[in-house]
Amino acid sequence: MKRRTLLATAALGLSVAFGGVGHAQDKTKACFVYVGPIGDGGWTYQHHQGALAVEKEFGDKVEVQWQENVPEGADAERVLTQMALSGCNIIFTTSFGYMDATNAVAAKFPDVKFEHATGYKRDSANVSTYNARFYEGRAVQGHIAGKMTKSNKIGYIGSFPIPEVIMGINSYYLHAKKANPNVELSVIWAYTWFDPAKEADAAKALIEQGVDVIASHTDSTAVLAEAAKTPGVIGFGQASDMEAYKPSPRVSSIIDNWAPYYIKRVGALMDGTYEQADAWEGIAGGEVEIGEITDAVPADVKAEAEALRDSIAAGTYHPFTGPIKKQDGSEWLADGVTAPDGDLLGMAFFVEGITGDIPK
């Protein structure tokens, strides 16, 4: 399953018009490939904020360029080839579906560094991968959801049934259940990363089922816009803060902060310390941030959520700590045992208590 899929795309050839400033070979050129528009309000927007942070950090020592709306597959390979030929020193490919194209082009340009977001293949020495522990933020959201729901029905809009999304659903539910043993979770699969109409329809369907707290793993603000139509329904910003919907229905958010990683990697390339890496940072590393918890959340719930965030950051608490059983009742984690990263990265099951099947 592709990590990011753009539904409405245009064919792209080798004559790509990159965004950013003109060529300057005496500068380090950092280039970014985006699957969606930089104004999507979510995933791509946050990656672009990271690119702009690189520009701000290094000033005239760096040249930043980017290309929006690049479809996954053959088009991505053409764009990456053009970027490499145009003098890009490091190329960040910000969609899971760019994985094969990234590795194919990297093999042809061993002197160019390639960084692939959310992927796992590093077929060449010049390919690195990076990801964020979004499930940590889902734990905080789940606690708020469990405490805030009045109907005891909470919802989650999933994009695609891949491990990244499934572990987010499980973390959200586990922590909502700890906060409120009576909570029930409904999951709707939107089968899109960015389609405001589909996202809004999914939110509407959940609300019609009596759900009054909605989390989502899609990229637009449509879920919050739909929630705003029904008094008493709340939700969370996804990927970016989505602050326009404060103080309610948006009561907090998960913010993907890619800036620290981008600055670190470009800086390492510039000072000669760059090495191949496989990074997976979370709240502690600053790549996952919890957006402001608004006054729509009771003070005691806010304090509890912030304490949970801080314990995760400090490493004193792991969101997947046993005892936890799988949906079928079989034991997954014994009491006090924390989930190994391998289990999380390959997660293909719901935890006990979640109803419904994971689509195949």
Side-chain angles (χ1 to χ4, degrees):
M1 182 63 66
K2 297 179 177 179
R3 170 63 179 84
R4 299 271 156 186
T5 303
L6 185 69
L7 297 182
T9 58
L12 298 170
L14 288 175
S15 57
V16 176
F18 298 121
V21 296
H23 293 189
Q25 294 302 317
D26 58 337
K27 300 180 179 182
T28 296
K29 186 186 289 188
C31 300
F32 296 79
V33 185
Y34 303 139
V35 78
I38 59 177
D40 69 355
W43 176 263
T44 293
Y45 173 81
Q46 284 302 123
H47 280 285
H48 191 57
Q49 294 306 298
L52 296 179
V54 169
E55 198 169 46
K56 181 178 180 181
E57 177 74 16
F58 298 110
D60 60 7
K61 295 179 181 179
V62 69
E63 175 185 354
V64 173
Q65 293 190 341
W66 64 88
Q67 176 62 40
E68 306 173 64
N69 297 332
V70 178
E72 295 160 330
D75 286 319
E77 191 164 338
R78 285 193 289 271
V79 170
L80 289 170
T81 299
Q82 175 62 19
M83 283 186 165
L85 290 171
S86 73
C88 294
N89 303 113
I90 185 168
I91 302 173
F92 296 91
T93 59
T94 63
S95 169
F96 182 86
Y98 294 149
M99 183 160 57
D100 290 338
T102 299
N103 282 274
V105 177
K108 300 174 184 177
F109 296 92
D111 294 331
V112 178
K113 306 302 182 185
F114 291 80
E115 297 263 349
H116 181 226
T118 74
Y120 57 85
K121 287 185 179 180
R122 295 174 298 281
D123 293 344
S124 303
N126 59 328
V127 178
S128 292
T129 50
Y130 62 104
N131 203 345
R133 295 179 183 268
F134 306 117
Y135 69 86
E136 294 181 346
R138 297 298 182 194
V140 178
Q141 290 184 347
H143 182 83
I144 295 171
K147 289 289 189 176
M148 293 286 287
T149 179
K150 293 180 172 58
S151 66
N152 290 329
K153 295 181 179 180
I154 63 173
Y156 200 108
I157 299 171
S159 43
F160 296 98
I162 60 175
E164 176 188 322
V165 179
I166 295 168
M167 75 176 82
I169 294 170
N170 283 334
S171 181
Y172 178 71
Y173 173 74
L174 284 170
H175 292 83
K177 192 75 171 178
K178 286 182 180 180
N180 177 359
N182 296 317
V183 81
E184 297 177 358
L185 175 67
S186 296
V187 178
I188 289 182
W189 297 98
Y191 292 99
T192 184
W193 293 106
F194 181 75
D195 186 328
K198 281 189 175 182
E199 295 169 60
D201 285 346
K204 184 178 180 180
L206 287 172
I207 293 168
E208 289 174 347
Q209 294 173 24
V211 165
D212 60 359
V213 187
I214 304 174
S216 65
H217 202 129
T218 52
D219 289 350
S220 84
T221 60
V223 173
L224 288 175
E226 189 64 34
K229 298 176 183 178
T230 305
V233 175
I234 62 172
F236 306 94
Q238 160 61 15
S240 69
D241 198 41
M242 300 186 179
E243 61 183 2
Y245 293 90
K246 292 179 182 178
S248 185
R250 174 246 175 258
V251 296
S252 187
S253 59
I254 292 177
I255 302 171
D256 305 344
N257 180 21
W258 301 108
Y261 184 80
Y262 289 156
I263 291 171
K264 176 182 177 181
R265 297 301 278 169
V266 174
L269 184 62
M270 294 170 70
D271 66 22
T273 61
Y274 185 95
E275 295 180 347
Q276 186 181 38
D278 176 24
W280 196 20
E281 300 293 338
I283 294 175
E287 288 188 10
V288 176
E289 296 180 340
I290 304 301
E292 177 195 1
I293 301 174
T294 71
D295 290 341
V297 178
D300 60 334
V301 177
K302 178 178 179 179
E304 292 166 357
E306 290 176 340
L308 177 58
R309 174 202 63 196
D310 294 345
S311 66
I312 293 171
T316 57
Y317 176 73
H318 191 294
F320 289 105
T321 300
I324 302 175
K325 293 182 178 181
K326 295 183 179 181
Q327 186 184 47
D328 63 8
S330 62
E331 184 176 280
W332 175 39
L333 296 173
D335 190 17
V337 175
T338 59
D341 283 352
D343 280 15
L344 298 179
L345 291 168
M347 185 170 278
F349 61 86
F350 281 149
V351 295
E352 186 179 45
I354 298 179
T355 58
D357 298 323
I358 297 174
K360 302 300 183 183

